Short mmCIF file of all heavy atoms in Angstrom, two decimals:
data_model
loop_
_atom_site.label_atom_id
_atom_site.label_comp_id
_atom_site.label_asym_id
_atom_site.label_seq_id
_atom_site.Cartn_x
_atom_site.Cartn_y
_atom_site.Cartn_z
N THR A 93 88.31 112.43 105.89
CA THR A 93 88.59 112.37 107.26
C THR A 93 90.01 113.01 107.49
O THR A 93 90.87 113.06 106.58
CB THR A 93 88.64 110.89 107.84
OG1 THR A 93 89.66 110.18 107.09
CG2 THR A 93 87.31 110.24 107.69
N GLY A 94 90.28 113.46 108.72
CA GLY A 94 91.52 114.06 108.99
C GLY A 94 91.83 113.96 110.45
O GLY A 94 90.96 113.87 111.34
N LYS A 95 93.13 113.88 110.73
CA LYS A 95 93.63 113.88 112.12
C LYS A 95 94.75 114.94 112.12
O LYS A 95 95.51 115.07 111.20
CB LYS A 95 94.18 112.52 112.44
CG LYS A 95 93.20 111.40 112.56
CD LYS A 95 93.84 110.08 113.10
CE LYS A 95 92.76 108.99 113.14
NZ LYS A 95 91.73 109.27 114.10
N TRP A 96 94.66 115.67 113.18
CA TRP A 96 95.64 116.84 113.41
C TRP A 96 96.12 116.85 114.82
O TRP A 96 95.37 116.49 115.72
CB TRP A 96 94.99 118.18 113.12
CG TRP A 96 94.47 118.36 111.74
CD1 TRP A 96 93.33 117.89 111.18
CD2 TRP A 96 95.09 119.13 110.63
NE1 TRP A 96 93.15 118.28 109.89
CE2 TRP A 96 94.24 119.01 109.56
CE3 TRP A 96 96.27 119.85 110.60
CZ2 TRP A 96 94.53 119.65 108.42
CZ3 TRP A 96 96.58 120.47 109.38
CH2 TRP A 96 95.69 120.39 108.32
N ARG A 97 97.26 117.22 115.05
CA ARG A 97 97.80 117.54 116.43
C ARG A 97 97.86 119.01 116.64
O ARG A 97 98.25 119.72 115.66
CB ARG A 97 99.10 116.83 116.64
CG ARG A 97 99.85 117.27 117.81
CD ARG A 97 100.00 116.46 118.95
NE ARG A 97 99.27 115.29 119.31
CZ ARG A 97 99.73 114.34 120.09
NH1 ARG A 97 101.02 114.35 120.45
NH2 ARG A 97 98.97 113.35 120.44
N ILE A 98 97.57 119.53 117.73
CA ILE A 98 97.68 120.95 118.09
C ILE A 98 98.50 121.27 119.28
O ILE A 98 98.37 120.58 120.25
CB ILE A 98 96.34 121.62 118.19
CG1 ILE A 98 96.36 123.11 118.44
CG2 ILE A 98 95.49 120.97 119.28
CD1 ILE A 98 95.14 123.88 118.52
N LEU A 99 99.42 122.21 119.15
CA LEU A 99 100.11 122.75 120.30
C LEU A 99 99.72 124.14 120.35
O LEU A 99 99.79 124.95 119.42
CB LEU A 99 101.64 122.65 120.11
CG LEU A 99 102.51 123.21 121.22
CD1 LEU A 99 102.20 122.40 122.51
CD2 LEU A 99 103.95 123.12 120.85
N MET A 100 99.13 124.61 121.52
CA MET A 100 98.52 125.93 121.63
C MET A 100 99.01 126.65 122.86
O MET A 100 98.50 126.43 123.94
CB MET A 100 97.01 125.77 121.55
CG MET A 100 96.30 127.16 121.58
SD MET A 100 94.52 126.96 121.41
CE MET A 100 93.97 126.89 123.11
N PRO A 101 99.90 127.63 122.71
CA PRO A 101 100.09 128.54 123.79
C PRO A 101 98.90 129.37 123.87
O PRO A 101 98.35 129.83 122.83
CB PRO A 101 101.37 129.28 123.43
CG PRO A 101 101.45 129.16 121.91
CD PRO A 101 100.82 127.87 121.59
N CYS A 102 98.43 129.65 125.09
CA CYS A 102 97.11 130.47 125.21
C CYS A 102 97.09 131.13 126.58
O CYS A 102 97.93 130.86 127.47
CB CYS A 102 95.93 129.59 125.03
SG CYS A 102 95.79 128.18 126.19
N THR A 103 96.22 132.07 126.71
CA THR A 103 95.87 132.69 127.96
C THR A 103 94.41 132.44 128.28
O THR A 103 93.54 132.74 127.45
CB THR A 103 96.19 134.24 127.90
OG1 THR A 103 97.55 134.42 127.46
CG2 THR A 103 95.93 134.89 129.23
N MET A 104 94.16 131.93 129.40
CA MET A 104 92.74 131.67 129.91
C MET A 104 92.45 132.40 131.12
O MET A 104 93.31 132.73 131.93
CB MET A 104 92.61 130.10 130.17
CG MET A 104 92.79 129.26 128.98
SD MET A 104 92.47 127.56 129.35
CE MET A 104 92.12 126.85 127.80
N MET A 105 91.14 132.79 131.17
CA MET A 105 90.65 133.48 132.38
C MET A 105 90.37 132.40 133.47
O MET A 105 89.64 131.51 133.17
CB MET A 105 89.41 134.28 132.09
CG MET A 105 89.72 135.47 131.12
SD MET A 105 90.91 136.63 131.76
CE MET A 105 90.10 137.28 133.17
N GLU A 106 90.92 132.62 134.61
CA GLU A 106 90.71 131.63 135.73
C GLU A 106 90.53 132.47 136.93
O GLU A 106 91.43 133.21 137.40
CB GLU A 106 91.86 130.70 135.93
CG GLU A 106 92.04 129.79 134.68
CD GLU A 106 93.21 128.80 134.77
OE1 GLU A 106 93.71 128.74 135.97
OE2 GLU A 106 93.58 128.24 133.81
N GLU A 107 89.30 132.45 137.54
CA GLU A 107 88.99 133.28 138.76
C GLU A 107 89.23 134.70 138.61
O GLU A 107 89.81 135.34 139.49
CB GLU A 107 89.66 132.58 139.96
CG GLU A 107 89.24 131.10 140.27
CD GLU A 107 89.97 130.55 141.34
OE1 GLU A 107 90.71 131.17 142.09
OE2 GLU A 107 89.75 129.31 141.59
N GLY A 108 88.91 135.22 137.41
CA GLY A 108 89.10 136.67 137.09
C GLY A 108 90.63 137.08 136.81
O GLY A 108 90.82 138.25 136.60
N LYS A 109 91.49 136.05 136.71
CA LYS A 109 92.90 136.36 136.38
C LYS A 109 93.30 135.65 135.09
O LYS A 109 92.82 134.56 134.78
CB LYS A 109 93.73 135.88 137.50
CG LYS A 109 93.53 136.59 138.80
CD LYS A 109 94.58 136.03 139.92
CE LYS A 109 94.20 136.78 141.15
NZ LYS A 109 94.92 136.24 142.26
N ARG A 110 94.18 136.29 134.40
CA ARG A 110 94.76 135.69 133.13
C ARG A 110 95.83 134.77 133.47
O ARG A 110 96.79 135.15 134.25
CB ARG A 110 95.29 136.80 132.21
CG ARG A 110 94.26 137.70 131.68
CD ARG A 110 94.84 138.86 130.88
NE ARG A 110 93.77 139.68 130.33
CZ ARG A 110 93.44 139.76 129.07
NH1 ARG A 110 94.13 139.10 128.13
NH2 ARG A 110 92.49 140.61 128.71
N VAL A 111 95.75 133.51 132.99
CA VAL A 111 96.75 132.44 133.27
C VAL A 111 97.28 132.04 131.93
O VAL A 111 96.53 131.50 131.06
CB VAL A 111 96.14 131.30 134.11
CG1 VAL A 111 97.11 130.21 134.28
CG2 VAL A 111 95.57 131.81 135.38
N SER A 112 98.59 132.08 131.76
CA SER A 112 99.25 131.52 130.57
C SER A 112 99.30 130.02 130.65
O SER A 112 99.60 129.45 131.72
CB SER A 112 100.65 132.09 130.39
OG SER A 112 100.57 133.44 130.23
N ARG A 113 99.03 129.38 129.50
CA ARG A 113 98.92 127.88 129.53
C ARG A 113 99.47 127.32 128.26
O ARG A 113 99.59 128.00 127.19
CB ARG A 113 97.47 127.36 129.67
CG ARG A 113 96.84 127.75 130.95
CD ARG A 113 95.45 127.04 131.08
NE ARG A 113 95.21 126.93 132.51
CZ ARG A 113 95.59 125.90 133.28
NH1 ARG A 113 96.32 124.96 132.78
NH2 ARG A 113 95.24 125.78 134.52
N TRP A 114 99.88 126.08 128.30
CA TRP A 114 100.20 125.28 127.10
C TRP A 114 99.13 124.12 127.01
O TRP A 114 98.87 123.44 127.93
CB TRP A 114 101.56 124.55 127.26
CG TRP A 114 102.69 125.43 127.07
CD1 TRP A 114 103.49 126.04 128.00
CD2 TRP A 114 103.23 125.89 125.75
NE1 TRP A 114 104.51 126.81 127.38
CE2 TRP A 114 104.33 126.66 126.02
CE3 TRP A 114 102.91 125.65 124.44
CZ2 TRP A 114 105.08 127.21 125.04
CZ3 TRP A 114 103.63 126.19 123.40
CH2 TRP A 114 104.68 127.02 123.71
N LEU A 115 98.53 124.07 125.83
CA LEU A 115 97.52 123.09 125.58
C LEU A 115 98.02 122.21 124.39
O LEU A 115 98.50 122.67 123.45
CB LEU A 115 96.22 123.77 125.17
CG LEU A 115 95.05 122.81 125.09
CD1 LEU A 115 93.76 123.61 125.53
CD2 LEU A 115 94.79 122.47 123.62
N LEU A 116 97.94 120.82 124.66
CA LEU A 116 98.28 119.93 123.58
C LEU A 116 97.02 119.16 123.26
O LEU A 116 96.38 118.63 124.29
CB LEU A 116 99.42 118.97 123.99
CG LEU A 116 99.80 117.89 122.95
CD1 LEU A 116 100.46 118.51 121.74
CD2 LEU A 116 100.65 116.86 123.65
N GLY A 117 96.67 118.93 122.03
CA GLY A 117 95.43 118.14 121.74
C GLY A 117 95.41 117.49 120.40
O GLY A 117 96.35 117.79 119.58
N ASP A 118 94.46 116.72 120.17
CA ASP A 118 94.21 115.97 118.94
C ASP A 118 92.89 116.30 118.36
O ASP A 118 91.88 116.23 119.06
CB ASP A 118 94.35 114.48 119.17
CG ASP A 118 95.76 114.10 119.57
OD1 ASP A 118 96.66 114.34 118.71
OD2 ASP A 118 95.93 113.44 120.52
N TYR A 119 92.81 116.52 117.08
CA TYR A 119 91.55 116.74 116.32
C TYR A 119 91.31 115.45 115.48
O TYR A 119 92.20 115.06 114.78
CB TYR A 119 91.68 117.89 115.39
CG TYR A 119 91.57 119.22 116.03
CD1 TYR A 119 92.71 120.02 116.33
CD2 TYR A 119 90.37 119.83 116.22
CE1 TYR A 119 92.56 121.25 116.92
CE2 TYR A 119 90.20 121.11 116.80
CZ TYR A 119 91.32 121.82 117.10
OH TYR A 119 91.25 123.08 117.70
N ASP A 120 90.17 114.93 115.59
CA ASP A 120 89.77 113.84 114.71
C ASP A 120 88.50 114.39 113.99
O ASP A 120 87.52 114.72 114.61
CB ASP A 120 89.35 112.62 115.59
CG ASP A 120 89.05 111.37 114.73
OD1 ASP A 120 89.19 111.46 113.54
OD2 ASP A 120 88.65 110.34 115.41
N GLU A 121 88.59 114.58 112.64
CA GLU A 121 87.63 115.27 111.88
C GLU A 121 87.01 114.50 110.69
O GLU A 121 87.66 113.62 110.19
CB GLU A 121 88.25 116.58 111.35
CG GLU A 121 88.85 117.42 112.45
CD GLU A 121 89.56 118.67 112.02
OE1 GLU A 121 90.10 118.68 110.87
OE2 GLU A 121 89.75 119.61 112.80
N LYS A 122 85.81 114.91 110.35
CA LYS A 122 85.16 114.44 109.16
C LYS A 122 84.78 115.71 108.34
O LYS A 122 84.42 116.70 108.87
CB LYS A 122 83.90 113.62 109.48
CG LYS A 122 84.20 112.35 110.11
CD LYS A 122 82.92 111.48 110.38
CE LYS A 122 83.42 110.19 111.06
NZ LYS A 122 82.23 109.43 111.41
N TYR A 123 84.93 115.58 107.00
CA TYR A 123 84.67 116.63 106.09
C TYR A 123 83.69 116.14 105.10
O TYR A 123 83.53 115.04 104.73
CB TYR A 123 85.94 117.03 105.36
CG TYR A 123 87.16 117.15 106.28
CD1 TYR A 123 88.10 116.23 106.18
CD2 TYR A 123 87.35 118.24 107.11
CE1 TYR A 123 89.20 116.31 107.05
CE2 TYR A 123 88.46 118.41 107.90
CZ TYR A 123 89.37 117.40 107.85
OH TYR A 123 90.48 117.55 108.71
N VAL A 124 82.94 117.15 104.52
CA VAL A 124 82.01 116.90 103.41
C VAL A 124 82.17 117.99 102.37
O VAL A 124 82.42 119.11 102.69
CB VAL A 124 80.57 116.79 103.94
CG1 VAL A 124 80.12 118.14 104.53
CG2 VAL A 124 79.64 116.34 102.88
N ARG A 125 82.09 117.54 101.09
CA ARG A 125 82.09 118.56 99.98
C ARG A 125 80.69 118.79 99.53
O ARG A 125 79.97 117.86 99.10
CB ARG A 125 82.99 118.04 98.84
CG ARG A 125 83.06 119.05 97.69
CD ARG A 125 84.13 118.73 96.70
NE ARG A 125 84.24 117.33 96.30
CZ ARG A 125 85.19 116.82 95.50
NH1 ARG A 125 86.15 117.62 95.07
NH2 ARG A 125 85.22 115.53 95.23
N LEU A 126 80.19 120.04 99.72
CA LEU A 126 78.87 120.46 99.31
C LEU A 126 78.98 121.55 98.30
O LEU A 126 79.62 122.60 98.52
CB LEU A 126 78.04 120.94 100.53
CG LEU A 126 77.85 119.97 101.61
CD1 LEU A 126 77.17 120.61 102.85
CD2 LEU A 126 77.00 118.81 101.18
N ASN A 127 78.34 121.39 97.13
CA ASN A 127 78.32 122.37 96.04
C ASN A 127 79.81 122.76 95.74
O ASN A 127 80.07 123.89 95.56
CB ASN A 127 77.50 123.57 96.38
CG ASN A 127 76.08 123.26 96.69
OD1 ASN A 127 75.52 122.47 95.97
ND2 ASN A 127 75.54 123.79 97.76
N GLY A 128 80.69 121.71 95.74
CA GLY A 128 82.10 122.03 95.44
C GLY A 128 82.97 122.65 96.47
O GLY A 128 84.15 122.95 96.28
N VAL A 129 82.44 122.84 97.66
CA VAL A 129 83.20 123.45 98.82
C VAL A 129 83.31 122.45 99.99
O VAL A 129 82.36 121.90 100.36
CB VAL A 129 82.41 124.71 99.27
CG1 VAL A 129 83.15 125.30 100.50
CG2 VAL A 129 82.30 125.70 98.23
N TRP A 130 84.57 122.29 100.43
CA TRP A 130 84.83 121.44 101.52
C TRP A 130 84.44 122.12 102.84
O TRP A 130 84.83 123.33 103.06
CB TRP A 130 86.29 120.94 101.56
CG TRP A 130 86.53 119.89 100.59
CD1 TRP A 130 87.08 120.14 99.31
CD2 TRP A 130 86.21 118.54 100.68
NE1 TRP A 130 87.08 118.87 98.63
CE2 TRP A 130 86.62 117.93 99.45
CE3 TRP A 130 85.71 117.72 101.65
CZ2 TRP A 130 86.47 116.60 99.23
CZ3 TRP A 130 85.54 116.40 101.48
CH2 TRP A 130 85.92 115.80 100.21
N LEU A 131 83.75 121.45 103.73
CA LEU A 131 83.32 121.96 105.03
C LEU A 131 83.60 120.88 106.13
O LEU A 131 83.66 119.72 105.82
CB LEU A 131 81.81 122.26 104.99
CG LEU A 131 81.35 123.27 103.96
CD1 LEU A 131 79.85 123.31 103.92
CD2 LEU A 131 81.83 124.69 104.28
N PHE A 132 83.61 121.35 107.37
CA PHE A 132 83.66 120.48 108.52
C PHE A 132 82.28 119.84 108.71
O PHE A 132 81.29 120.51 108.72
CB PHE A 132 84.02 121.17 109.84
CG PHE A 132 85.36 121.71 109.87
CD1 PHE A 132 85.64 123.10 109.71
CD2 PHE A 132 86.48 120.85 110.03
CE1 PHE A 132 86.93 123.56 109.78
CE2 PHE A 132 87.80 121.34 110.04
CZ PHE A 132 88.02 122.72 109.93
N LYS A 133 82.29 118.50 108.85
CA LYS A 133 81.10 117.79 109.10
C LYS A 133 81.12 117.36 110.59
O LYS A 133 80.06 117.39 111.30
CB LYS A 133 80.92 116.53 108.28
CG LYS A 133 79.72 115.69 108.56
CD LYS A 133 79.58 114.51 107.63
CE LYS A 133 78.42 113.69 108.03
NZ LYS A 133 77.39 113.80 107.09
N LYS A 134 82.26 117.03 111.16
CA LYS A 134 82.44 116.73 112.56
C LYS A 134 83.84 117.01 113.02
O LYS A 134 84.80 116.65 112.36
CB LYS A 134 82.12 115.23 112.81
CG LYS A 134 82.10 114.87 114.25
CD LYS A 134 81.62 113.49 114.49
CE LYS A 134 81.48 113.23 115.94
NZ LYS A 134 81.12 111.87 116.28
N ILE A 135 83.94 117.67 114.24
CA ILE A 135 85.25 117.81 114.87
C ILE A 135 85.15 117.31 116.30
O ILE A 135 84.27 117.68 117.01
CB ILE A 135 85.63 119.33 114.98
CG1 ILE A 135 85.93 119.92 113.51
CG2 ILE A 135 86.78 119.47 115.90
CD1 ILE A 135 86.31 121.41 113.61
#
Side-chain angles (χ1 to χ4, degrees):
T93 60
K95 294 185 180 298
W96 299 78
R97 166 107 341 155
I98 179 176
L99 180 62
M100 187 175 89
C102 60
T103 303
M104 295 184 161
M105 293 301 294
E106 297 178 15
E107 299 176 7
K109 296 180 182 174
R110 292 174 181 251
V111 178
S112 296
R113 296 188 152 276
W114 282 102
L115 187 143
L116 178 72
D118 292 305
Y119 284 96
D120 189 5
E121 301 176 337
K122 292 184 181 178
Y123 315 103
V124 62
R125 181 165 45 186
L126 299 173
N127 301 317
V129 177
W130 284 99
L131 301 169
F132 292 106
K133 181 175 175 109
K134 186 172 187 183
I135 293 180

